[in-house]
Amino acid sequence: MASTSSLTADAVIDKERMDSFHAHLSKSTRVLSLLGAGLSATSGLPTFRGAGGLWRTHDSISLATPEAFDANPGLVWQFYSYRRHMAMQAQPNAAHYALAELSRKMPGFMTLSQNVDGLSQRADHPREQLQLLHGTLFEVRCMDRDVCRYGPEANFTDPICPALAIPTGADPTSNEARKGISEYLHTKHQGKDLDISDAAVPLPDLAPEDLPICPQCKKHLLRPGVVWFGESLPSEVLQTVDDFINQPEKIDIIIVIGTSAKVYPAAGYIEEARDKGARVCVVNMDENDRPSGGWEEGDWFFKGDAAQIVPRLLEPVIGQVKVPKEAKAQGSH
């Protein structure tokens, strides 16, 4: 591995290593980026990885399957409604804005995102240069793909239906309080969103009729427009990515941000880019998150917060990234 660096609040990236990346970026015309959940960590969104991957008492992966939806659509919708709500409360961070600006400055830049949180889109990342490998929380479609072809359709309504509203601290005189729900829920958090990812916060059991129904067939449930485990990635997205990679011109760099790059087919794009001449740059908090094929001479690794590092990496092309005030406030938590 050619370059290793770390960045904290009071540290500086090694100048020689950063200069090496800048020199290569400045003469590059075709660049890929592969994004993972670590990109949005500074925006306050959970990554649902490893030991922190539980939602209430459930492994988050176990909720992200068609079988889970069939068995308990109410629970799965509560999980995704929570994620929609959290994503809408969050703001894009400086890395989202930097990548969006690079797209405008470099026509040969393509971003492949595994994120479903919508933050890249809200940072005005040009849509034709952003391929959503796993879909998005903010599209919905009919569960019945054999008969009803509704969706995917954009939907930013929060909550998407009344039964999925995030509960707030209850009135101490309510029936729930009299039934003995913790005073913690009624006083400290009264009037505030409760953290329903905490299993101590009571959630109702929802029946199918409580959940969003397809407006077209008016029969089947709507489902989130994300790719669940066991499902195929969107064919049009895969085709667009393949077309970009298979162009005759070489790829100069692939920048891998906030992802372990172990899930295929996304992880395979790193080696495909290498085969087209790309050098690999990884930005991650975890030193163990390395390309599946290992490091090669000329690669870069920058350890630290993507929101701090990515704007610095791209500065020779984009200049100083401009972040709206509300995004700065969110990122300062």
Side-chain angles (χ1 to χ4, degrees), residues 48-298:
F48 293 111
R49 286 184 56 187
L54 291 180
W55 187 76
R56 297 179 70 83
T57 58
H58 305 278
D59 181 341
S60 59
I61 292 176
S62 72
L63 298 176
T65 68
E67 293 77 17
F69 192 83
D70 288 342
N72 194 338
L75 176 64
V76 173
W77 254 121
Q78 285 168 325
F79 173 57
Y80 281 97
S81 182
Y82 164 81
R83 294 182 65 185
R84 283 165 59 97
H85 182 75
M86 292 292 288
M88 291 184 74
Q89 300 305 306
Q91 297 294 334
N93 62 54
H96 293 102
Y97 285 102
L99 292 163
E101 186 62 20
L102 183 63
S103 293
R104 287 184 281 272
K105 294 290 179 62
M106 184 183 290
F109 176 56
M110 179 70 77
T111 293
L112 319 179
S113 180
Q114 301 172 92
N115 296 339
V116 297
D117 53 39
L119 293 181
S120 291
Q121 298 93 305
R122 288 170 54 197
D124 293 326
H125 197 120
R127 193 63 184 84
E128 65 277 7
Q129 290 168 273
L130 176 66
Q131 301 305 314
L132 302 176
L133 297 173
H134 296 166
T136 171
L137 294 168
F138 298 105
E139 289 182 349
V140 293
R141 63 177 176 85
C142 184
M143 224 9 236
D144 185 351
R145 299 298 284 171
D146 295 327
V147 177
C148 181
R149 305 301 294 178
Y150 179 80
E153 291 290 333
N155 184 295
F156 289 89
T157 303
D158 182 33
I160 192 171
C161 67
L164 290 171
I166 302 295
T168 57
D171 181 343
T173 64
S174 68
N175 289 334
E176 289 81 5
R178 287 195 292 270
K179 290 177 183 176
I181 297 175
S182 169
E183 181 182 356
Y184 166 85
L185 301 180
H186 306 314
T187 55
K188 183 177 179 182
H189 286 277
Q190 187 170 353
K192 299 180 181 178
D193 288 345
L194 297 181
D195 180 9
I196 66 170
S197 68
D198 183 349
V201 177
L203 273 185
D205 292 327
L206 300 182
E209 55 267 26
D210 299 322
L211 303 174
I213 301 295
C214 175
Q216 184 166 299
C217 70
K218 297 180 172 53
K219 179 181 178 183
H220 298 286
L221 293 178
L222 289 177
R223 56 158 284 180
V226 297
V227 178
W228 282 331
F229 289 96
E231 296 182 327
S232 300
L233 272 60
S235 58
E236 65 278 9
V237 170
L238 296 178
Q239 187 61 58
T240 299
V241 177
D242 286 346
D243 289 346
F244 179 89
I245 292 175
N246 293 329
Q247 289 177 23
E249 299 82 9
K250 68 172 290 190
I251 296 173
D252 298 291
I253 306 172
I254 181 167
I255 311 172
V256 183
I257 305 169
T259 175
S260 62
K262 291 180 172 62
V263 178
Y264 284 81
Y269 290 132
I270 299 174
E271 294 310 307
E272 290 188 44
R274 280 201 197 278
D275 291 342
K276 294 287 293 190
R279 293 171 66 176
V280 176
C281 174
V282 174
V283 179
N284 208 301
M285 295 293 292
D286 189 345
E287 295 176 356
N288 295 316
D289 284 347
R290 60 191 66 195
S292 57
W295 297 108
E296 293 187 7
E297 185 64 29

Side-chain angles (χ1 to χ4, degrees), residues 270-332:
I270 299 174
E271 294 310 307
E272 290 188 44
R274 280 201 197 278
D275 291 342
K276 294 287 293 190
R279 293 171 66 176
V280 176
C281 174
V282 174
V283 179
N284 208 301
M285 295 293 292
D286 189 345
E287 295 176 356
N288 295 316
D289 284 347
R290 60 191 66 195
S292 57
W295 297 108
E296 293 187 7
E297 185 64 29
D299 291 349
W300 302 271
F301 175 70
F302 297 98
K303 180 182 178 182
D305 181 356
Q308 297 181 56
I309 295 174
V310 172
R312 292 277 305 279
L313 287 175
L314 306 185
E315 200 168 280
V317 178
I318 68 172
Q320 292 286 331
V321 66
K322 296 178 181 178
V323 180
K325 291 181 180 179
E326 63 271 19
K328 289 181 181 178
Q330 183 72 26
S332 64

